[in-house]
Amino acid sequence: QSTKNNPTQALLDSVNGAKNTAKAGIDDTQDRFLKLLVTQMKNQDPLNPMDNAQVTSQMAQLSTVSGIDKLNATMESLIGSVQTAQSYQASSMIGHNVLVAGNEVSTTGTGGYFGVDLPIGADKLTVTIKSAAGATIRTLSLGAQESGTLPLNWDGYADDGSIAPNGGYKFEVAATIAGQSAASEALSYAKVMSISNSSSGIKLNLSNLSSVSTADVKEIF
């Protein structure tokens, strides 16, 4: 008979199963813990029995593990429910047009829409539309603008008065305040085609073949 309160490795193996490497559920863990505790009490030294505080501590540890496991399961269920609700809400955006970060604009002879985000406004705003080769097609001088999101429309004409060829173009934004560069962000205009769930949350799949989160949308039309 062991004269120590700690069980031998052979005893632990007989209760837990030395070769069992599979992750047990919380109910199985509780069952094995109770079996081990009873076995410890049966094999304890009668002259040096287990201290009540030791038993209480072991029970408290098991209770903590069990509580954390149940909390994790509850949180996973809650997150799943929230994501489902967000999916339904985001689905209402399908078919709508949005402004998101990007510097592309296209025309089919009548120009296209795009936008600029100005966190602190500007006393001068200039937009330069360029071809894929980098040649300047049109320069738009828009003057002073207040802070916020600014939807814009290009009429499709080049600086020389001709109609720009159909296709995609890039544009650059330059904002200044008192002659100093001011913060600005170019925004592309695209249609929401579908939504999808990802590890990082709900994604909006756009007509320009990009995917963005709902938080990235600056304006909805």
Side-chain angles (χ1 to χ4, degrees):
Q1 183 182 40
S2 173
T3 58
K4 298 181 180 180
N5 289 334
N6 296 326
T8 65
Q9 185 61 47
L11 177 59
L12 290 172
D13 290 347
S14 67
V15 174
N16 297 323
K19 296 183 179 179
N20 181 18
T21 58
K23 182 179 179 181
I26 188 64
D27 291 337
D28 185 51
T29 300
Q30 290 175 334
D31 183 61
R32 288 188 293 110
F33 171 81
L34 292 174
K35 286 181 180 179
L36 176 59
L37 182 61
V38 171
T39 303
Q40 283 183 266
M41 297 179 70
K42 286 181 179 180
N43 290 275
Q44 66 183 326
D45 182 1
L47 301 179
N48 184 28
M50 293 178 64
D51 185 79
N52 288 338
Q54 183 181 359
V55 177
T56 302
S57 176
Q58 293 183 12
M59 293 295 291
Q61 292 176 16
L62 177 65
S63 178
T64 299
V65 173
S66 175
I68 292 175
D69 185 81
K70 292 178 180 178
L71 177 61
N72 287 340
T74 301
M75 289 301 297
E76 288 177 359
S77 176
L78 178 60
I79 291 173
S81 297
V82 171
Q83 289 182 332
T84 299
Q86 288 178 335
S87 295
Y88 286 125
Q89 291 177 345
S91 65
S92 64
M93 295 179 64
I94 295 176
H96 286 272
N97 295 300
V98 294
L99 285 176
V100 295
N103 64 340
E104 298 179 350
V105 60
S106 61
T107 178
T108 56
T110 58
Y113 295 96
F114 61 101
V116 177
D117 185 38
L118 299 171
I120 58 175
D123 57 22
K124 182 179 180 181
L125 176 64
T126 302
V127 176
T128 305
I129 300 173
K130 296 185 175 183
S131 67
T136 297
I137 302 298
R138 181 75 178 273
T139 300
L140 304 174
S141 298
L142 303 174
Q145 303 292 333
E146 296 181 354
S147 62
T149 300
L150 178 65
L152 297 170
N153 177 40
W154 172 37
D155 59 12
Y157 283 87
D159 282 334
D160 61 7
S162 64
I163 298 177
N166 293 353
Y169 294 81
K170 303 286 187 179
F171 67 95
E172 298 176 354
V173 179
T176 60
I177 296 179
Q180 300 296 317
S181 178
S184 62
E185 181 182 18
L187 303 176
S188 289
Y189 183 85
K191 178 180 286 189
V192 179
M193 307 303 292
S194 65
I195 62 170
S196 58
N197 287 310
S198 69
S199 58
S200 56
I202 306 300
K203 293 292 185 180
L204 305 179
N205 304 312
L206 308 180
S207 57
N208 61 5
L209 304 182
S210 67
S211 295
V212 299
S213 69
T214 53
D216 294 327
V217 175
K218 298 295 184 179
E219 192 160 338
I220 304 172
F221 300 89

